[in-house]
Structure formats: structure tokens, C-alpha cells
């Protein structure tokens, strides 16, 4: 009785299984490579953080850099700005002593009284006070100590040649504090304007209502005058008074109306004869 050798088909099966494993492994590697290529093309990776997280980190870094720069910067305050001086001329003068970042000049109030002819001629470009931000706080402090109370100088034909510097270094003061203060002043000013406008609106409405009432009364008076004039032109017409007949009220005699006691009842009570 013939039987097939048992080892031959098992070997063939094992070889085929190994080939299938290799082919599946190659296919998986190719799929992983394709996925990696897609990830690289889109700019994201599974191990790396998301795009929003990277943006937040970049924003934090920028804010930290700005905070570091703000700590190094210094602000000087000018309590008086000479006439005919603007931010361009001020930057040109103060930039000789150090690098300047920002300048803010507060315009003069238009309701303020004008004292001199020179200030009146420069009314449109006059400034009341100003702030100057230096790149380095040590330079700002040195400039304030050096220039405060000194003559501005420059060209002799300039209008502010003989004016004096009124400058002071503001310690622990940052430009953000100035912007917050300006925003607060602006909000207060807008609130005042809103209150004034509402009060003016109420007064206007009251005035218009009174005007309407006066117009109505004048129209009534005019109509009455026209009627009187028509009556005078057509002749005096007697006023008609209508009389309606009325019944007279019934007068009741009080004595008769009262019930009286008869003599027989009185005799029975008092025992009369």
C-alpha cells in the first residue's frame, strides 16, 4: 500500500506562508511610507504638537520678548511743550542723546485761555504735554537729569531757542500705562459727551412740545377771533338762552305729617275721666 511522503507538502506550505508574510510586510512598509509622505506634505506629524499649539507657543514667545524689551525701555515726561515744536523737531533734538522709540504729544485744549500773541499764532499746532520713550532706561534717566531746567538752544532763529526743558524721568512707568490712561480718559470723555447729548435731547423735546402747545393755543385764539369778526360783520346776534319748564317741588307740612295720639289713648293711659 503506497502512501505519499508526509514531509514534502508541509515544506511547501511553510515556504508559501513565509512568502505571504514577506509580501504583507512589504505592503505595510509601503503604506507607512506613503502615510509619512502625506504627513510631511501637509506639514503635520503625529508626534509633533498641533498647529494651534505651535501658534500659541509662538505668541507666548513674542509676548515675552516684548515684555523684556519693555523692561529695558524708559519713559520721560515733558510737562510743557514750547510753541511751534512738534514730534518731528522733538525727536530730532532728543535723538542726539539716545535712541527714541515712541513720542506722544497731547494737543492743547481749545477752551484754554490764550495769553500771548505767540501762542495765539501757534494755536492750531500747540501741545500741552508729552511723553518720550527711550530704548534704554539708563539713557532716559541721564537725559532727564541733564536737560531738566536747561535752555533748549539749537538755532538762534528758532522760536524755542530761549525756552527751558521741563523733563522728568518716570520710574516704573511703561508705555502701556500711558495707553491705558489715554483709553480711560477717552472713555470718560465719551461718557460725558453722551450725557450732554442726552440732556440736550431732553431739552429739545421739551422745547418742541411747548412749541406745539403754543401753536395749538394760537390756532384756537385765531379761530375765536375769526368767529368774533364774522359776528361783528353780520351784526350783533343776541345770545340764545333756552328756558325749560320745571315742576315746582312739593312742600310737605311737618306738623301734619307727624302721627298724633288720640284722646282716648291718653285717657286710658293717665286714667282721665
Amino acid at each position: 500500500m503506497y502512501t505519499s511522503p508526509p514531509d514534502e507538502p508541509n515544506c511547501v506550505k511553510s515556504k508559501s506562508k513565509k512568502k505571504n508574510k514577506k509580501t504583507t510586510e512589504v505592503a505595510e512598509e509601503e503604506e507607512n511610507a506613503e502615510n509619512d509622505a502625506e504627513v510631511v506634505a501637509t506639514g503635520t506629524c503625529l508626534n509633533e504638537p498641533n498647529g494651534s499649539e505651535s501658534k500659541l507657543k509662538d505668541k507666548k514667545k513674542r509676548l515675552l520678548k516684548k515684555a523684556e524689551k519693555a523692561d529695558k525701555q524708559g519713559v520721560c515726561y515733558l510737562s510743557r511743550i514750547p510753541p511751534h515744536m512738534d514730534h518731528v523737531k522733538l525727536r530730532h533734538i532728543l535723538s542726539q542723546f539716545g535712541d527714541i522709540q515712541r513720542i506722544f504729544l497731547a494737543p492743547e485744549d481749545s477752551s484754554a485761555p490764550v495769553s500771548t500773541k505767540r501762542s495765539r499764532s501757534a494755536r492750531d499746532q500747540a501741545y500741552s504735554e508729552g511723553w518720550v520713550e527711550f530704548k534704554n532706561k539708563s539713557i532716559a534717566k541721564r537725559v532727564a537729569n541733564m536737560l531738566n531746567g536747561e535752555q533748549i538752544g539749537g538755532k538762534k532763529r528758532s522760536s524755542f531757542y530761549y525756552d527751558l526743558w521741563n523733563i522728568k524721568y518716570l520710574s516704573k512707568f511703561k508705555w502701556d500705562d500711558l495707553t491705558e490712561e489715554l483709553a480711560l480718559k477717552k472713555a470718560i470723555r465719551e461718557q460725558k459727551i453722551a450725557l450732554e447729548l442726552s440732556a440736550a435731547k431732553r431739552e429739545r423735546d421739551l422745547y418742541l412740545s411747548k412749541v406745539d402747545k403754543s401753536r395749538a393755543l394760537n390756532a384756537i385764539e385765531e379761530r375765536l377771533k375769526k368767529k368774533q369778526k364774522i359776528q361783528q360783520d353780520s351784526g350783533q346776534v343776541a345770545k340764545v338762552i333756552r328756558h325749560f319748564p320745571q315742576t315746582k317741588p312739593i312742600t310737605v307740612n311737618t306738623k301734619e305729617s307727624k302721627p298724633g295720639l288720640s284722646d282716648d289713648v291718653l285717657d286710658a293711659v293717665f286714667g282721665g275721666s
Side-chain angles (χ1 to χ4, degrees):
M1 190 175 183
Y2 176 76
T3 56
S4 61
D7 295 334
E8 187 175 353
N10 292 330
C11 294
V12 173
K13 288 180 180 179
S14 63
K15 287 180 181 179
S16 62
K17 286 181 180 178
K18 288 180 181 179
K19 287 181 181 180
N20 292 329
K21 285 181 180 179
K22 286 182 180 180
T23 54
T24 53
E25 288 177 358
V26 170
E28 288 178 357
E29 288 178 358
E30 289 178 355
E31 288 179 359
N32 292 329
E34 290 177 357
N35 293 328
D36 294 337
E38 290 178 356
V39 167
V40 171
T42 55
T44 57
C45 184
L46 296 173
N47 295 327
E48 293 179 357
N50 295 328
S52 59
E53 293 179 358
S54 61
K55 287 180 181 179
L56 289 173
K57 286 184 178 180
D58 294 336
K59 191 174 182 180
K60 286 180 181 179
K61 287 180 182 178
R62 288 197 299 268
L63 291 173
L64 289 172
K65 287 181 181 179
K66 286 183 181 180
E68 289 177 358
K69 288 182 180 179
D71 290 335
K72 294 178 182 178
Q73 294 166 357
V75 180
C76 291
Y77 171 69
L78 298 168
S79 61
R80 180 181 176 274
I81 306 298
H84 302 285
M85 180 178 278
D86 56 2
H87 62 94
V88 178
K89 296 176 182 177
L90 185 62
R91 183 182 288 275
H92 177 70
I93 295 170
L94 294 179
S95 60
Q96 301 173 3
F97 305 101
D99 295 333
I100 295 173
Q101 297 290 326
R102 289 170 285 192
I103 295 175
F104 176 76
L105 301 179
E108 191 176 10
D109 189 5
S110 59
S111 62
V114 181
S115 59
T116 61
K117 292 182 179 179
R118 189 171 67 177
S119 61
R120 189 179 292 110
S121 62
R123 186 180 181 84
D124 295 335
Q125 56 182 2
Y127 300 97
S128 60
E129 55 186 356
W131 290 264
V132 181
E133 184 185 29
F134 286 88
K135 193 174 182 180
N136 195 342
K137 61 173 68 175
S138 60
I139 294 173
K141 192 182 294 185
R142 186 171 68 249
V143 169
N145 294 329
M146 182 175 61
L147 295 181
N148 190 29
E150 297 294 329
Q151 185 177 340
I152 294 176
K155 295 181 180 180
K156 286 189 177 181
R157 58 186 178 181
S158 65
S159 59
F160 45 81
Y161 177 79
Y162 295 102
D163 284 314
L164 301 178
W165 288 107
N166 294 315
I167 186 169
K168 182 182 180 182
Y169 172 72
L170 301 176
S171 62
K172 298 180 181 179
F173 185 86
K174 302 301 176 186
W175 197 261
D176 293 337
D177 299 334
L178 175 61
T179 54
E180 288 177 1
E181 184 179 359
L182 293 174
L184 180 61
K185 287 182 179 179
K186 184 179 178 181
I188 292 170
R189 185 169 63 252
E190 289 178 354
Q191 189 177 4
K192 287 182 179 178
I193 291 170
L195 291 173
E196 290 176 358
L197 288 174
S198 63
K201 188 177 180 181
R202 286 196 298 271
E203 290 178 359
R204 185 198 64 184
D205 295 338
L206 180 62
Y207 174 75
L208 291 174
S209 64
K210 288 184 177 180
V211 168
D212 293 336
K213 287 180 181 179
S214 64
R215 285 178 180 174
L217 293 173
N218 291 331
I220 292 168
E221 289 178 358
E222 287 178 359
R223 286 198 298 271
L224 290 174
K225 286 179 181 178
K226 285 181 181 179
K227 285 181 180 179
Q228 290 177 0
K229 189 175 181 180
I230 291 168
Q231 289 176 0
Q232 289 177 0
D233 293 338
S234 62
Q236 291 182 356
V237 179
K239 189 175 181 180
V240 178
I241 300 173
R242 294 181 180 181
H243 297 282
F244 297 97
Q246 295 181 358
T247 57
K248 294 182 180 181
I250 299 169
T251 57
V252 179
N253 193 358
T254 57
K255 291 182 180 179
E256 294 178 356
S257 61
K258 287 182 179 180
L261 296 174
S262 62
D263 295 334
D264 296 333
V265 173
L266 291 175
D267 292 337
V269 172
F270 295 104
S273 56

